[in-house]
Amino acid sequence: MMFDQLGTKRSIPPTTTRRLRAEDCIVIDNRDLRKAQVGAGVGNFIEWYDIGIYGYLAVTMTSVFTEGMDERMGLLVTLLGFAVSFVVRPLGGMILGPLGDRIGRRKVLFFTMALMAAATTIIGLLPTAGQVGLWVIIPLYLLKMLQGFSTGGEYSGAATYISEFSPDRHRGFMTALLNSGSMLGFAAGAGVVAVTTEVTTSAWGASAMLDGGWRIPFLLALPLGILAICLRSRIPESPSFEVAQDNAEDKNDNPIFVRHNLPNILKHYWHQILIGFALIAADGTSSYMLTSYMPTYLETQVGSPTVHTAVAAVLVLVLQAVLIPLVGHWSDRIGRRPIYIMATIGNLILLLPAFWLMHFGTLWSLYLAMFLVMVPSALFLALTGAVMSELFPTASRFGGVGLTHNLAISIFGGTTPLVSQVLVEVTGNSYAPAFYIMFFSAIAFTATLKMRESAGRPLLGSVPVVSSVEEAAELAKGQDANERIDTATMLLIGEPISREGARVG
């Protein structure tokens, strides 16, 4: 018997208990790892750049696309445009995830980048409601849906790809860099909005953003997308995927080595999916509150000028981008569970004081409040890529992560701005968004206690991934005393493959 990621007993055929040899390990080439990191990270940067510009232009977009509508209703319609992209995001994950398990991570990541850049650019070319009427909301929503479909394969694919490319001892740090890049992308979006607002209003007056300045941040997605596509065209395929692809048919008596469709992913990994749902619900509500709803909240409930909120966001998110990989590295040392516990307790303790500070209406209280919201969010984001990938085996990882992450982030994360605004409107309580996040953090705390520690372990269904041949030899030599090594979860069959980025011998 063995225990899976949730501590559930599973029967493993005796043929899977062969001892680990040094030549079974995957030794990663550092040059390929750097290419993979840059190629995968640039997509997350652009994804959050788009989220940033839409979030920080929400009030402007309301005037542009809902002109003539009641202002408060128009704001809800604009925020619904943000939420509608998440309606189809799970569809993207459910289609592109299993496809990535079949044809490879690299090809799917190339497609998602092209689709995302195109949709963002076209938004910048749409006519306004003043020009053609309120029907323009329909193509806006359709383009947001295309972005959502693309994003459904983007983050789950990038997280899967980097987790499989990373040495086991550094997986937390390597995958955390993805979300660090995401925060830099959001900060870049907020920064572009701030600079565009300042430059255009100085040159053409107070109405410059409404008159067309809002288009500039969206149109910048085109050169960014071309750069990203060029970078992704050069990345190698995940070596863990290639080894699993070569040998999966030889291990079809064990479900963790089989490439499953969505119904079978639900059948075999529903425990993992539930744990992932709870963690991503807390992660998503926390992070999307900071990045996507906070600008609207500060402008509508506190009265902060757009420039002040955008500049504060840039500084706080750059700080978060620095903090995330440090926390990821820390999780490689002390484990994922302690970090999750700190994140959930942090939200339960810090959010109410943060919202209280916001209403002081001063710059210092604005910065301090956003910092208090940012810290627990950074702890969550540092672990997302690693933990989601560690829940599922290699043969079905992209599909499992695509389903779990996208469905949870769509239901709970992407709707956070809309639900938060509705809660404020319905209850009249300006602290309602804080209680909303705290609820999911309490659930995530319980889920963390049910989760088995996964830091430093080889990914399920894969052999160990190491940085050197010497490390592989040391790992094989000490496997009997190493509780992180379980050969029943590894593809230890056939002759060693002698090539860079795969098994060496």
Side-chain angles (χ1 to χ4, degrees):
M1 303 292 285
M2 64 161 284
F3 292 85
D4 65 14
Q5 294 283 58
L6 302 178
T8 305
K9 289 184 178 181
R10 288 183 179 273
S11 298
I12 298 296
T15 56
T16 64
T17 57
R18 190 164 73 87
R19 289 180 62 80
L20 176 71
R21 301 172 299 169
E23 54 266 33
D24 287 317
C25 298
I26 294 174
V27 180
I28 290 297
D29 179 79
N30 287 331
R31 182 176 56 184
D32 284 346
L33 178 58
R34 285 192 295 270
K35 287 182 182 178
Q37 192 73 59
V38 172
V42 71
N44 287 283
F45 178 92
I46 295 177
E47 172 193 347
W48 279 76
Y49 170 83
D50 168 67
I51 293 171
I53 58 178
Y54 195 88
Y56 279 88
L57 285 172
V59 175
T60 301
M61 300 284 280
T62 298
S63 299
V64 169
F65 289 106
T66 65
E67 184 180 348
M69 189 179 292
D70 175 76
E71 186 175 343
R72 290 198 301 178
M73 180 61 66
L75 180 58
L76 290 177
V77 169
T78 302
L79 293 178
L80 181 60
F82 179 82
V84 75
S85 67
F86 287 84
V87 172
V88 296
R89 182 167 175 168
L91 181 63
M94 287 185 280
I95 292 176
L96 298 176
L99 183 63
D101 285 327
R102 181 172 297 276
I103 69 173
R105 287 64 164 121
R106 179 179 176 274
K107 293 177 181 177
V108 171
L109 288 174
F110 189 89
F111 169 76
T112 58
M113 187 69 267
L115 183 59
M116 185 187 307
T120 304
T121 301
I122 295 172
I123 288 177
L125 298 174
L126 287 176
T128 67
Q131 293 170 324
V132 298
L134 290 175
W135 75 266
V136 74
I137 295 171
I138 296 174
L140 174 65
Y141 282 5
L142 290 175
L143 289 167
K144 294 298 292 180
M145 291 172 72
L146 281 179
Q147 288 177 331
F149 183 85
S150 168
T151 303
E154 175 59 38
Y155 181 77
S156 53
T160 296
Y161 179 71
I162 293 300
S163 69
E164 293 175 351
F165 231 112
S166 302
D168 297 331
R169 294 190 300 115
H170 305 297
R171 190 185 307 119
F173 172 73
M174 293 297 179
T175 53
L177 289 172
L178 287 174
N179 275 334
S180 184
S182 298
M183 293 303 99
L184 289 175
F186 192 91
V192 167
V193 169
V195 171
T196 302
T197 301
E198 185 67 26
V199 171
T200 57
T201 54
S202 297
W204 299 297
S207 64
M209 288 298 288
L210 294 175
D211 294 338
W214 64 271
R215 299 181 186 276
I216 296 173
F218 288 98
L219 295 178
L220 286 175
L222 180 59
L224 288 174
I226 292 173
L227 174 62
I229 290 171
C230 290
L231 289 172
R232 285 203 168 167
S233 67
R234 302 176 182 177
I235 62 174
E237 184 55 87
S238 155
S240 294
F241 167 78
E242 289 186 319
V243 172
Q245 188 83 338
D246 291 342
N247 298 309
E249 296 305 319
D250 297 326
K251 283 284 187 174
N252 57 17
D253 56 341
N254 188 334
I256 73 169
F257 301 117
V258 176
R259 186 174 55 234
H260 293 295
N261 56 24
L262 282 177
N264 282 333
I265 288 175
L266 288 166
K267 174 183 177 181
H268 291 288
Y269 306 121
W270 63 271
H271 286 94
Q272 287 91 325
I273 291 171
L274 288 178
I275 292 292
F277 251 68
L279 297 176
I280 296 302
D283 177 339
T285 54
S286 181
S287 60
Y288 280 88
M289 172 65 68
L290 175 66
T291 58
S292 300
Y293 179 63
M294 198 60 66
T296 302
Y297 182 87
L298 290 169
E299 290 179 39
T300 59
Q301 302 299 314
V302 181
S304 296
T306 301
V307 172
H308 287 174
T309 58
V311 171
V314 170
L315 296 176
V316 169
L317 292 174
V318 168
L319 179 59
Q320 187 178 51
V322 174
L323 182 60
I324 285 172
L326 296 178
V327 175
H329 175 68
W330 194 21
S331 77
D332 285 327
R333 296 175 62 87
I334 70 171
R336 319 291 191 222
R337 295 180 70 201
I339 303 296
Y340 269 133
I341 290 173
M342 285 186 275
T344 54
I345 293 177
N347 269 340
L348 294 173
I349 293 175
L350 298 177
L351 283 182
L352 288 178
F355 274 71
W356 176 70
L357 283 168
M358 290 177 201
H359 289 270
F360 273 57
T362 61
L363 278 178
W364 73 265
S365 64
L366 169 64
Y367 281 82
L368 181 56
M370 293 191 72
F371 176 80
L372 293 180
V373 176
M374 178 272 289
V375 172
S377 174
L379 298 179
F380 277 118
L381 289 171
L383 302 187
T384 305
V387 171
M388 288 301 103
S389 299
E390 289 163 350
L391 286 173
F392 301 96
T394 301
S396 301
R397 180 168 297 118
F398 200 159
V401 177
L403 172 67
T404 304
H405 183 266
N406 288 296
L407 199 56
I409 207 71
S410 297
I411 294 173
F412 305 111
T415 58
T416 294
L418 180 62
V419 171
S420 297
Q421 185 66 21
V422 169
L423 287 174
V424 171
E425 296 285 348
V426 171
T427 66
N429 187 341
S430 59
Y431 290 83
F435 290 113
Y436 182 67
I437 300 172
M438 292 165 66
F439 170 76
F440 289 108
S441 291
I443 294 176
F445 178 83
T446 303
T448 300
L449 300 180
K450 300 288 186 179
M451 183 182 77
R452 187 187 181 192
E453 183 55 64
S454 54
R457 297 177 181 272
L459 291 169
L460 285 173
S462 290
V463 294
V465 179
V466 296
S467 302
S468 67
V469 175
E470 292 75 19
E471 183 182 346
E474 182 180 347
L475 201 62
K477 182 178 179 181
Q479 64 185 290
D480 293 329
N482 190 343
E483 63 178 11
R484 295 176 176 177
I485 299 298
D486 182 359
T487 57
T489 67
M490 301 177 189
L491 277 169
L492 303 178
I493 59 176
E495 293 298 320
I497 302 172
S498 180
R499 58 184 174 84
E500 283 190 351
R503 298 189 209 176
V504 298

